[in-house]
């Protein structure tokens, strides 16, 4: 059921090819710019991005996957990027990885919009779906180049191909492409692919065979909908969050299953369709095994990398989901309503339409970002309970409508997708639930059309249409304006492989200082935990190709021992660390042979215990016996005369305190080498001066400086023309200054 005109007289369909092309291009530009600003202003401290980048670079350099290159992901992910590298020479770094992630993001949102168009043939739900799907996937910026990025694009394409095949009645196309897409996804990240294959296989089972087989398939599918999450999360069922997950999934899945059963579809899929789907999956799998073996990976390592290692993942890495109040209750109520459907037949369509609008818009409006900090949580937690409402036909005649079948497929596919949020309920919550967005938009739009065309609640339907348009505008405005202002407010990082990134001032200054010291002093470089982007930025190798975010339970004792041996053998090796709650990451006491060189922001740099380095770009605070305080700046050689010192905010560079070179006492200058040894006599400068060597500059602090938070500040040396010669961060190394981790 569709509208030719909205209440305001605005045509809801776009006639002709060029208007559609122009609208599509405009959306692509707006969303592309928004995505670029968001992606290039974000860097997450755990740096999973760097870990994945380094593994792909290692594989592209010729190292055997799983045998030499450690990875927690499937071989097809690496084959895809190896193909890119061989065909184009593309080098994978933080910039190219973000561009690829942006492309996947736009593809996923665009394909979701395409599904909305196929189901409605109207521009309003299409545009709404594109923008709101884009908003629902915004968490993708926190893990650029992660397999989740390409998988959301493949998931959307796979769902869309299945939808198109069902609308055309092309059953074999559905079976074969579903098997190919699901297998390809499993060979990138096994849980995502397996859940997609379950959705495809169970759909085929429910729509195959006679009445007797249909009942058996229904019972088996219902049992699987309950049993699979129970088995999957059995280790954590003693925890409330896991039990809530099982209840939400099972209740929502069974409610959609009730809708599928009531649709009463005739026999569709034959044994030949099953045979071709199995053959297709086998061909994809065999091709990837041959590819890996040809490049030096044994079949045993392929099995371990694709199947065995992921099965260990729940015991290694866990991030529990914090369910919002009402999510479980809504799912249970949804199942009861789907089973009973108490409304009289005459009013059934009106009641369902009203519930669709109420539930759909309450979820979709949260994608504006005005209600909760993480709007995708609303889609993940509440949309599954609404899936059956969006899928069920609004009229008896609608049961034979292909669009109703398409909505049912979309809801069924989306339901199974949410299971990928176990065991790590972070970005996976967004990646696993974004398919609900086209379902919610299309379902709400069809409900609005029914209410507008009939005599039921016409006054309610009109503000709902306006509310949907407002939600679309606000969602994009929130994302775009905030991202643009953040982008314009920052400066480029300027490091190799990440020159265009515009990060916070604290990150930018700390990363530049760390990269400078690593480039100047380091041989091997290892991150603790992770932080492998620094290996890309500084071109320093890791001890081995076994690189993970935090080794903990992930690496074997032999793998850890090999890394430690390499680090101990190279006296120029460096270890970069990230501080969490004032704690140094030191699993298995692997830092016992290292000492802390300096501590800037939330990051530390460690050298071999027998090595000493000059901590370039740092400032330490020292006090004398008589109570006077001094800054000691590790300054670089200069070509301009230094005339002033400023203490400024690290984010916006607002000056909090400044002092010129005093003519009476001056500043004390000691030239040093890169091992922090004095190479000349200490001298006093009483006016603008040059620094021909690395030097320690001692500046007495005025009592007027009290109250300034030096942890959020940096020192800038200013030349005679007022330009900054260099910027330095405070070294919080215990024993060197008064700033120690709490």
């Amino acid at each position: 059921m569709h509208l030719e005109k909205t209440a305001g007289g605005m045509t809801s369909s776009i006639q002709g090819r060029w208007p559609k092309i122009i609208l599509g291009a405009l959306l692509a530009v707006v969303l592309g710019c928004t995505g670029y600003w968001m992606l290039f202003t974000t860097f997450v401290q755990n740096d999973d991005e760097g870990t994945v980048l380094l593994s792909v670079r290692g594989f592209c350099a010729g190292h055997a996957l799983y045998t030499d290159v450690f990875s927690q992901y499937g071989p097809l992910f690496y084959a895809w990027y190896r193909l890119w590298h061989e065909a184009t020479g593309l080098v994978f770094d933080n910039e190219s990885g973000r561009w690829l992630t942006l492309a996947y993001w736009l593809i996923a949102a665009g394909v979701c919009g395409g599904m909305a168009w196929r189901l409605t043939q109207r521009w309003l739900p299409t545009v709404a779906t594109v923008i709101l799907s884009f908003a629902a996937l915004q968490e993708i910026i926190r893990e650029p180049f992660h397999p989740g990025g390409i998988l959301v694009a493949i998931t959307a394409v796979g769902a869309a191909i299945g939808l198109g095949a069902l609308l055309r009645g092309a059953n074999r196309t559905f079976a074969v492409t579903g098997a190919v897409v699901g297998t390809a996804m499993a060979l990138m990240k096994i849980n995502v692919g397996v859940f997609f294959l379950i959705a495809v296989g169970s759909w085929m089972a429910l729509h195959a065979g006679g009445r007797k087989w249909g009942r058996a398939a229904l019972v088996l599918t219902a049992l699987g909908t309950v049993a699979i999450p129970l088995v999957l999360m059995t280790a954590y069922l003693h925890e409330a969050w896991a039990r809530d997950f099982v209840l939400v999934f099972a209740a929502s899945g069974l409610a959609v299953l009730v809708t599928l059963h009531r649709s009463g579809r005739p026999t569709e899929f034959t044994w030949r369709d099953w045979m071709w789907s199995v053959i297709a999956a086998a061909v994809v799998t065999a091709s990837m095994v041959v590819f890996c073996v040809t490049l030096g990976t044994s079949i045993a390592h392929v099995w371990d990398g694709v199947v065995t290692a992921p099965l260990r993942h729940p015991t290694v890495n866990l991030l529990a989901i914090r369910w919002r109040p009402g999510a479980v209750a809504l799912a249970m109520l949804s199942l009861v309503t789907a089973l009973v459907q108490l409304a009289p037949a005459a009013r059934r369509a009106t009641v369902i339409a009203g519930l669709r609008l109420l539930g759909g818009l309450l979820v979709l409006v949260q994608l504006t970002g005005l209600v909760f900090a993480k709007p995708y949580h609303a889609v993940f937690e509440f949309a599954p309970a609404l899936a059956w409402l969006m899928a069920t036909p609004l009229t008896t005649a609608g049961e034979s409508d292909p669009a109703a079948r398409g909505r049912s497929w979309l809801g069924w596919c989306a339901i199974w997708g949410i299971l990928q949020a176990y065991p790590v309920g972070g970005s996976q919550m967004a990646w696993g639930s974004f398919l609900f967005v086209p379902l919610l938009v299309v379902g709400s739009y069809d409900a609005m059309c029914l209410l507008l065309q009939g005599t039921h609640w016409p006054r309610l339907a009109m503000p709902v249409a306006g509310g949907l348009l407002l939600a679309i505008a606000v969602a994009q405005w929130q994302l775009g304006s905030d991202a643009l202002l953040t982008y314009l407010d920052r400066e480029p990082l300027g490091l190799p492989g990440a020159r265009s990134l515009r990060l916070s001032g604290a990150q930018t200054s700390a990363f530049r200082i760390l990269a400078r010291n690593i480039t100047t002093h380091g041989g091997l470089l290892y991150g603790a935990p992770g932080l492998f982007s620094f290996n890309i930025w500084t071109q320093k190798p890791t001890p081995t190709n076994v690189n993970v975010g935090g080794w903990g339970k992930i690496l074997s004792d032999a793998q850890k021992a090999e890394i430690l041996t390499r680090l101990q053998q190279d006296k120029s090796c460096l270890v970069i660390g990230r501080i969490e709650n004032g704690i140094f990451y030191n699993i298995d006491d692997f830092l016992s042979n290292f000492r802390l060189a300096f501590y800037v922001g939330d990051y530390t740099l460690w050298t071999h215990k027998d090595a000493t380095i000059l901590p370039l770009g740092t400032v330490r605070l020292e006090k004398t016996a008589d109570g006077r305080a001094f800054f000691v700046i590790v300054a670089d050689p200069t070509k301009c005369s230094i005339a002033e010192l400023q203490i400024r905010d690290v984010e916006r560079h607002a000056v909090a305190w400044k002092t010129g070179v005093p003519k009476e006492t001056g500043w004390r200058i000691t030239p040093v080498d890169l091992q922090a040894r004095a190479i000349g006599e200490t001298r006093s400068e009483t006016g603008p001066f040059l620094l021909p060597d690395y030097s320690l500059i001692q500046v007495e602090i005025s009592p007027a400086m009290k109250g300034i938070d030096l942890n959020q500040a940096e020192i800038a040396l200013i030349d005679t023309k007022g330009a900054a010669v260099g910027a330095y961060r405070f070294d919080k190394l215990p024993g060197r200054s008064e700033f120690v981790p709490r």
Side-chain angles (χ1 to χ4, degrees), residues 51 70 72 315-317 526-530 532 543-544 546-568 575 585-592 594:
T51 303
F70 179 88
Q72 297 171 275
T315 63
V316 173
N317 196 6
Y526 194 69
F532 293 114
T544 70
V546 179
N547 301 307
V548 296
W551 66 19
K553 300 178 181 178
I554 299 177
L555 299 186
S556 67
D557 291 339
Q559 290 171 321
K560 297 176 185 178
E562 185 179 2
I563 293 172
L564 289 175
T565 299
R566 290 293 311 279
L567 289 174
Q568 291 167 6
V575 175
Y585 182 87
N586 191 22
I587 300 296
D588 300 323
D589 196 30
F590 81 102
L591 290 175
S592 58
F594 297 86

Side-chain angles (χ1 to χ4, degrees), residues 292-308:
C292 291
V293 172
T294 302
L295 294 179
T297 304
S298 67
I299 293 179
H301 280 131
V302 173
W303 176 261
D304 182 70
V306 175
V307 180
T308 308

